[in-house]
Amino acid sequence: MGRSGATVGLVPERSEAACGRWNIVVVLLAAIAVAIAGCAADEVASVDGLIVPEGFTVSEVVTGLDGPTQVTTVNDAWLVLAELNGGESDGTGRIVAIPDRDQPAETTVLFDDLLKPTGVAVVGDEVWVMEERTLSRGPIGGGDLAPVLEDLPYNGRSETTLTVTERGTLLYGTTGRLIDGVPQDGSGTLWELDPSTEISTALSRGFKNPYAHVAAGDRPWVTEMSDGSFDGEPAPDELVRVSPGVDHGWPACIGDRVAVTEFGGTEVDCEGGPPSHALFDPGATPTSVAIAPWDANVLLVALWRENRVVSVPLAEAGAPHDPVTFMSGEFTPQHLLADGDRLLVVDFDGGRILAVEPV
């Protein structure tokens, strides 16, 4: 969850001035999108204050939520989601199950009294939950959570989302924290955990906030919230393709292999590091990434502060790619989930889950 100064993560804080600036940005983006669409062959369609390309529809699947953070599915039937259910630090978070998608109002609380639940995943017959700096597991029917990892290194606010890989392992991140200008041991790392042994292996280091992931073999894509000032300039946020064992360079290298002299970065060292798959504006806050359900060659990224979902080519050739707005308007995209042929979009401020589907 965030950092000193401007915060980032689960619920990025907004000052009154910042809100004003971002509201202006959102209005301008929406106006530009409409203007461009008016000149294009394919017009956009707006549903309930949301703008998506022609050929797609948006509907509300679940409403009445309180600070939803991540959603997952069980056996292509249930929805299981995490929500704050109050203030971020109130310790009132919970994991909720929706057994029947046709009756989304009927929910069951599986676990409650959680502190900042940022992640939820289902592996077999167990639910895994990431809280502020604790990873736990519990039965799918609810009850008590058993801590697996506690006192994880973090950025002072929270850890990341959870992702189940094709192998049934679990991806999670520990957010980066500097001590005397040096990353705290074990922080800023993407980990893979084997649920059967509870053993974690570091996949890649050198992140500030590897908040969201989408599994693809042994090389997942990860969103990076670079966060902060480097040589007096803000760093862009990123989408990166992770190679096991590779250090992504933070804080000595930020963005697309840019050296930061105040942290000992050099052009030679940074140029030899991994490239960015896509770059976003500083503070865009990419809270989720998913493969588009209707096009396996496209990645979709939720930009929390910009109130939009953007598309990026999956192909590594031509990276870093420029993001293209796919969905914008009156929503705060927190999490994306490919669900069959539709995309579920968790709207944090709206307390709802939206479904985007091709017509």
Side-chain angles (χ1 to χ4, degrees), residues 8-9 31 43 47-48 53 128-129 137 154 170 211 234 245 315 322 324 338 356:
V8 74
E43 295 184 354
V47 179
D48 190 25
W128 288 76
V129 179
R137 66 196 300 176
Y154 76 133
L170 199 64
Y211 191 78
D322 294 326
V324 175
V356 180

Side-chain angles (χ1 to χ4, degrees), residues 60-141:
E60 290 184 340
V61 178
V62 181
T63 60
L65 303 176
D66 187 351
T69 55
Q70 185 174 12
V71 66
T72 188
T73 59
V74 181
N75 298 328
D76 296 325
W78 290 26
L79 294 178
V80 177
L81 62 94
E83 62 177 345
L84 293 184
N85 190 40
E88 184 175 322
S89 299
D90 290 349
T92 54
R94 61 186 188 177
I95 305 299
V96 177
I98 303 173
D100 187 348
R101 297 188 192 190
D102 295 327
Q103 300 292 331
E106 298 180 6
T107 62
T108 300
V109 177
L110 301 179
F111 311 101
D112 56 12
D113 298 328
L114 305 179
L115 179 61
K116 302 177 186 177
T118 56
V120 61
V122 176
V123 181
D125 59 357
E126 288 192 304
V127 179
W128 288 76
V129 179
M130 179 65 83
E131 294 183 66
E132 182 184 53
R133 56 188 306 194
T134 300
L135 179 64
S136 304
R137 66 196 300 176
I140 189 68

Side-chain angles (χ1 to χ4, degrees), residues 185-237:
D185 186 37
S187 77
T189 302
L190 180 69
W191 301 85
E192 183 174 19
L193 180 141
D194 183 342
S196 64
T197 63
E198 298 186 352
I199 295 176
S200 290
T201 302
L203 281 185
S204 185
R205 295 181 170 84
F207 296 101
K208 169 59 179 180
N209 192 342
Y211 191 78
H213 344 95
V214 62
D218 62 351
R219 294 193 61 204
W221 280 270
V222 178
T223 66
E224 162 73 322
M225 303 177 192
S226 297
D227 178 27
S229 178
F230 301 84
D231 287 343
E233 297 292 335
D237 287 340

Side-chain angles (χ1 to χ4, degrees), residues 231-310:
D231 287 343
E233 297 292 335
D237 287 340
E238 300 174 76
L239 177 66
V240 298
R241 187 84 189 274
V242 168
S243 293
V246 172
D247 191 315
H248 283 262
W250 175 87
C253 307
I254 52 91
D256 190 30
R257 299 173 289 185
V258 175
V260 182
T261 57
E262 68 173 305
F263 291 113
T266 68
E267 289 187 6
V268 172
D269 289 340
C270 294
E271 286 177 358
S276 301
H277 191 78
L279 292 173
F280 313 112
D281 288 340
T285 313
T287 50
S288 189
V289 57
I291 297 175
W294 44 82
D295 189 341
N297 296 310
V298 172
L299 293 167
L300 298 171
V301 182
L303 300 182
W304 202 95
R305 284 187 179 272
E306 295 187 357
N307 304 97
R308 62 184 183 131
V309 174
V310 298

